[in-house]
């Protein structure tokens, strides 16, 4: 039998508004860019007049630039340019919606309830895990690409989040934060793979149990 044909997709999480998130981030970035332009104009004017608020303006600009970077960090990636034989792309709009049945079919009987679509999606729909709270659900998915142009069967997934902070995690990272400070680089935003707000220690790489060993290896 031929190995399974796969494509890797960077998605938008499991929430009911997943199809709208890319557009919302674009609007947010435009608003930030406008606000930054207003602050920059005010800073230049005050600098000419010798005002002391220049440092405050600089801090505000740095904050806006950081938020803008957080909003667009993954959207600017040219996934189709990656040096790989496996197709890799973004899922946006209606394509970003992941049916609960497709996700839950990846789970084994002994997997935690915290990995189920119902739990992960309600974290997003309730706002606990949301852009406004410093979370971007950006799940990695592996779809069966046997039918070009059509989304068929979900073969694998990783619950992946881009984060602005360390809240909602059960892991130690003080050493990483200290190292980033010593190197003069920002520790955030960064990726988090796992289940938010739980000490869950189960699987992070979900693979359809119906696959043959060689196909599971390909998905992994």
């Amino acid at each position: 039998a031929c190995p399974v044909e796969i494509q890797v997709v960077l998605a938008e999480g499991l929430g009911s508004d997943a199809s709208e998130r890319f557009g919302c981030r674009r609007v947010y970035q435009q608003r930030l860019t406008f606000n930054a332009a207003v602050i920059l104009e005010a800073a230049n004017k005050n600098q000419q007049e010798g005002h002391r608020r220049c440092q405050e303006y600089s801090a505000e600009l740095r904050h806006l630039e950081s938020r803008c970077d957080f909003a667009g960090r993954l959207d600017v990636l040219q996934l189709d340019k990656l040096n790989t034989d496996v197709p890799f792309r973004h899922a946006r709009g209606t394509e970003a919606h992941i049916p609960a049945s497709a996700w839950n079919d990846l789970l084994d009987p002994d997997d935690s309830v915290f990995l189920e679509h119902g739990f992960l999606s309600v974290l997003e729909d309730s706002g606990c895990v949301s852009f406004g709270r410093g979370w971007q659900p950006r799940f990695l998915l592996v779809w069966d690409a046997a039918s070009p142009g059509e989304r068929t069967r979900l073969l694998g997934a990783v619950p992946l989040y881009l984060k602005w902070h360390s809240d909602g995690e059960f892991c130690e990272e003080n050493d990483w934060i200290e190292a980033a400070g010593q190197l003069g680089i920002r520790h955030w935003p960064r990726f988090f793979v796992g289940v938010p707000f739980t000490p869950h220690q189960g699987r992070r790489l979900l693979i359809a149990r119906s696959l043959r060993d060689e196909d599971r290896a390909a998905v992994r």
Side-chain angles (χ1 to χ4, degrees):
C2 296
V4 66
E5 296 181 42
I6 63 176
Q7 58 177 333
V8 181
V9 175
L10 182 61
E12 298 277 356
L14 303 181
S16 58
D17 65 340
S19 60
E20 304 171 6
R21 289 177 184 165
F22 174 72
C24 289
R25 286 196 302 273
R26 299 285 70 73
V27 172
Y28 181 75
Q29 280 188 290
Q30 292 171 4
R31 189 182 306 127
L32 289 177
T33 301
F34 174 79
N35 291 344
V38 171
I39 292 175
L40 184 60
E41 181 179 356
N44 290 334
K45 180 180 179 180
N46 286 341
Q47 186 176 24
Q48 295 172 0
E49 297 176 359
H51 287 199
R52 297 181 178 180
R53 281 208 63 198
C54 292
Q55 289 185 346
E56 297 178 15
Y57 285 131
S58 296
E60 292 176 19
L61 279 173
R62 287 196 299 271
H63 177 72
L64 288 176
E65 290 171 354
S66 297
R67 296 297 293 180
C68 195
D69 172 63
F70 177 59
R73 173 65 66 95
L74 298 181
D75 294 331
V76 298
L77 296 179
Q78 294 182 306
L79 300 180
D80 57 336
K81 306 293 186 185
L82 293 179
N83 185 22
T84 174
D85 295 332
V86 178
F88 202 147
R89 59 186 179 79
H90 293 276
R92 294 167 176 164
T94 56
E95 188 187 19
H97 174 69
I98 304 170
S101 58
W103 179 271
N104 289 335
D105 281 348
L106 296 176
L107 303 181
D108 291 336
D110 56 348
D111 276 328
S112 168
V113 66
F114 297 124
L115 281 173
E116 293 181 4
H117 187 284
F119 179 78
L120 294 173
S121 63
V122 80
L123 287 178
E124 300 175 29
D125 290 341
S126 66
C128 293
V129 172
S130 63
F131 181 86
R133 292 184 180 271
W135 297 76
Q136 280 196 54
R138 304 304 297 273
F139 290 12
L140 278 178
L141 310 176
V142 177
W143 288 96
D144 184 348
S147 301
E150 299 180 13
R151 188 172 68 176
T152 53
R153 185 170 51 130
L154 187 60
L155 304 178
V158 173
L160 177 69
Y161 300 86
L162 184 66
K163 296 195 61 192
W164 184 254
H165 50 66
S166 298
D167 296 345
E169 302 175 20
F170 286 80
C171 58
E172 296 291 337
E173 61 173 336
N174 291 336
D175 290 343
W176 290 103
I177 296 174
E178 183 179 348
Q182 292 175 350
L183 293 173
I185 59 177
R186 293 203 310 259
H187 181 63
W188 299 282
R190 61 155 180 75
F191 284 126
F192 167 70
V193 176
V195 179
F197 304 112
T198 73
H200 176 260
Q201 297 181 352
R203 293 195 301 158
R204 300 291 186 271
L205 175 59
L206 309 179
I207 301 177
R209 54 183 175 273
S210 61
L211 294 179
R212 302 168 301 175
D213 289 343
E214 56 267 38
D215 291 338
R216 291 177 65 86
V219 172
R220 186 178 294 109

